Amino acid sequence: QVQLVESGGGLAQPGGSLRLSCAASGRIVSINTMGWYRQAPGKEREVVATIASGGRTNVADSVKGRFTISRDNAKNTVYLQMNSLKPEDTAVYYCNADIRTQTLDAIYYGYWGQGTQVTVSS
C-alpha cells in the first residue's frame, strides 16, 4: 500500500514563507511525475506545480516567481518552497505522485496525500 504524507503546512503572514514536504512510502518500484495541488473553500482543486522524474518543472502562473518545487528521488520526497505568500494562497495543499508499484506491471497510478492546510493571514 502506497502512502503520501504531507507536512509543513500552517499559518503564515502575508509575505512570509512555508516549506511543504511530501514523502511517499510503501511498495514503490518507481515514481514519475510528482506535484502539488491546492483547493480553497468553494473552489476546484488546481495544480500548483509539478516536477518530472528528470527534474523538469511546471509552475502555475499564479505562483510563478514565488513557489519552487523540488524533489529528492532517493527519499521519494517532493517539496514546495513557498515564498512571498499571499492570502489567496490559503488552501489545502495536496501532494500527488504517479507511482509504479509492481515490478512486472509497468502501469503507473496516481496517488494523493491527505492534504495539509496552509493559511495566510495577517
Side-chain angles (χ1 to χ4, degrees):
Q1 181 71 36
V2 172
Q3 293 188 70
L4 272 60
V5 180
E6 301 100 332
S7 62
L11 177 64
Q13 298 185 50
S17 298
L18 287 173
R19 180 177 172 84
L20 306 183
S21 298
C22 172
S25 62
R27 190 173 66 179
I28 299 172
V29 176
S30 63
I31 303 176
N32 279 340
T33 301
M34 304 183 81
W36 289 95
Y37 297 72
R38 67 185 182 186
Q39 187 167 21
K43 294 187 177 181
E44 188 174 300
R45 187 175 299 186
E46 64 178 358
V47 62
V48 176
T50 62
I51 181 168
S53 60
R56 293 185 179 183
T57 62
N58 283 289
V59 183
D61 289 339
S62 60
V63 303
K64 281 184 178 177
R66 301 187 298 118
F67 292 9
T68 301
I69 188 170
S70 61
R71 65 190 287 170
D72 185 334
N73 291 330
K75 296 181 179 180
N76 291 329
T77 300
V78 62
Y79 307 93
L80 185 68
Q81 179 66 48
M82 304 185 294
N83 298 324
S84 301
L85 284 164
K86 303 176 180 179
E88 49 263 45
D89 294 319
T90 296
V92 176
Y93 284 70
Y94 297 90
C95 174
N96 173 266
D98 295 324
I99 302 174
R100 177 181 177 180
T101 63
Q102 298 183 18
T103 302
L104 300 180
D105 189 347
I107 299 176
Y108 287 77
Y109 295 93
Y111 293 85
W112 293 91
Q114 83 289 345
T116 184
Q117 178 70 48
V118 171
T119 301
V120 184
S121 176
S122 60

